[in-house]
Amino acid sequence: MVSREEIEHVAKLMRIEIDDPTIYERVDKMIGYFDILDSAGVESEEISVREIPITNLREDKYIPFDEKLIEKLNHYKGTYVRAPKMV
């Protein structure tokens, strides 16, 4: 698919040093995925989008918030806000 020289050339243009020898296999695998997506043949598929007239949209209004937001939060310490763990 993509030669080692082409990957090195693009990396040089992007000013990226290739330290990992497995990068060539990984780039080749990524290009393979793009080839699969290109062969999916979705050019003839019609995308339906519901149009909303601009008159149906709400008007944006500026509402000033005079209080300090950080003081309204339950779990904060200094300037940091404590958030739930992401798993």
Side-chain angles (χ1 to χ4, degrees):
M1 295 223 176
V2 179
S3 70
R4 187 180 188 107
E5 292 79 25
E6 290 173 320
I7 295 171
E8 290 172 353
H9 177 70
V10 171
K12 184 179 176 184
L13 291 174
M14 295 175 66
R15 297 183 179 156
I16 298 173
E17 291 184 25
I18 300 176
D19 297 333
D20 187 4
T22 63
I23 194 76
Y24 303 104
E25 297 160 9
R26 291 175 23 208
V27 168
D28 194 42
K29 192 181 278 189
M30 281 192 293
I31 299 295
Y33 290 134
F34 284 113
D35 287 341
I36 292 170
L37 292 174
D38 285 342
S39 65
V42 293
E43 292 86 14
S44 63
E45 295 293 322
E46 186 175 323
I47 299 172
S48 61
V49 177
R50 188 176 67 134
E51 293 185 18
I52 300 173
I54 198 161
T55 56
N56 291 357
L57 299 176
R58 68 170 172 82
E59 182 181 340
D60 285 335
K61 295 180 183 176
Y62 172 71
I63 302 171
F65 190 78
D66 296 330
E67 300 176 43
K68 289 189 176 184
L69 183 60
I70 195 82
E71 293 172 356
K72 296 291 181 187
L73 298 172
N74 292 334
H75 304 288
Y76 77 94
K77 184 176 182 180
T79 57
Y80 296 100
V81 177
R82 188 172 173 187
K85 282 187 177 181
M86 302 296 287
V87 179

